[in-house]
Amino acid sequence: MITSAHRGIGMTSLRTRERMIERLREQGIRDERVLAAMGAVPRHIFVEEALASRAYEDTALPLGFQQTISQPYVVARMIELLLDQPSGRSLGKTLEIGAGCGYQAAVLAMLTREVYAVERIEPLLARARKNLSSLRLNYVRFKHADGNWGLAEAAPFDSIIVAAAPARVPQTLLEQLAPSGRLVLPLGNSDGAQIITLFERRADGGGFSETRFDAVRFVPLLAGVE
Ligand code: SAH
């Protein structure tokens, strides 16, 4: 729902959002479910007012606390990998690690009713909660915690998405995947190349397949909470 608080840049924002969706198509995003979800979330309410006019550019923007709101293409790409268009898989019960101000959580919430989002910096989590409740996406469940440990109380998950880069895949996250579940994350050191990597748990729950995709730049996945 659009309230007066969101009207800020009004029609301009709607048009620039449509342009963002066109650009995502040109960049190769094909899953219409992802494009519709990203077209429905007003990205400008998630960035600081001074940056609102740049909210629909394909770039990461500062959130404070040395963190950034992820680039639209990367959000779209990672969710598309979870959805696996050919099979028409849906997200199911989904865990996001690194909610930041909640933008990606809102996009996920357009695609599934069951979203859990973990963030280690409390003031950011408070902002995420406020942003999602202003969009009436109250069913997203937030938790202030270190996402390296997943979210045992709600596991297993059909989909897990990590918005910060660890050097190696956290074993706990793999263990919290349901059979046929998918985990997507940027893997690599913050000073070197990071690669979007997809893990899929076998249907019998046994092993995992691992596939690598685009090179990206994310903030590091840190330990502990603030
Ligand atoms: N999902 C956000 C991206 C935020 S940037 C978006 O939609 O734009 C990545 C976030 O990961 C930061 O807010 C950072 O604080 C958080 N983060 C880093 N390490 C973490 C950890 N171990 N557990 C939870 N969150 C973490």
Side-chain angles (χ1 to χ4, degrees):
M1 195 197 77
I2 304 299
T3 65
S4 55
H6 302 139
R7 225 166 268 142
I9 50 180
M11 282 308 290
T12 319
S13 107
L14 193 58
R15 255 196 313 273
T16 49
R17 205 184 316 157
E18 282 165 3
R19 241 178 274 134
M20 177 182 86
I21 301 305
E22 284 315 307
R23 211 167 43 227
L24 291 173
R25 272 185 212 283
E26 286 161 21
Q27 289 169 306
I29 302 300
R30 292 277 171 271
D31 195 313
E32 293 297 330
R33 297 171 292 176
V34 176
L35 294 165
M38 292 194 55
V41 176
R43 186 169 157 91
H44 63 277
I45 72 155
F46 292 87
V47 302
E48 278 160 29
E49 225 165 290
L51 293 169
S53 65
R54 301 190 53 201
Y56 298 96
E57 293 175 13
D58 193 31
T59 171
L61 292 169
L63 283 180
F65 308 93
Q66 295 178 308
Q67 304 303 325
T68 54
I69 178 169
S70 301
Q71 183 189 343
Y73 171 75
V74 176
V75 171
R77 181 74 176 129
M78 289 174 80
I79 297 176
E80 190 171 65
L81 290 173
L82 287 175
L83 282 169
D84 182 32
Q85 198 187 14
S87 73
R89 177 184 193 273
S90 56
L91 289 179
K93 196 204 284 182
T94 300
L95 173 64
E96 181 195 27
I97 307 294
C101 59
Y103 175 68
Q104 180 168 264
V107 177
L108 293 168
M110 296 292 165
L111 294 159
T112 174
R113 293 287 299 187
E114 285 184 283
V115 184
Y116 295 80
V118 173
E119 170 56 53
R120 64 181 288 281
I121 300 178
E122 194 151 38
L124 281 181
L125 189 73
R127 233 147 85 193
R129 279 209 174 95
K130 191 166 135 267
N131 287 336
L132 269 77
S133 79
S134 82
L135 295 173
R136 305 247 168 125
L137 299 172
N138 298 307
Y139 48 91
V140 174
R141 279 156 280 194
F142 287 102
K143 173 109 186 186
H144 180 223
D146 176 353
N148 279 291
W149 305 106
L151 191 62
E153 69 227 47
F157 297 96
D158 303 301
S159 304
I160 302 179
I161 184 166
V162 186
R168 278 174 300 280
V169 61
Q171 282 305 308
T172 312
L173 296 184
L174 288 175
E175 284 157 19
Q176 290 183 9
L177 276 183
S180 302
R182 290 184 160 215
L183 161 66
V184 68
L185 78 176
L187 272 187
N189 292 318
S190 48
D191 48 346
Q194 302 162 357
I195 304 291
I196 292 180
T197 308
L198 176 70
F199 290 86
E200 183 171 27
R201 188 166 208 157
R202 279 184 12 202
D204 66 8
F208 300 88
S209 66
E210 177 179 342
T211 317
R212 289 158 201 226
F213 295 89
D214 321 39
V216 282
R217 274 204 90 69
F218 271 82
V219 296
L221 188 75
L222 300 176
V225 293
E226 289 179 27

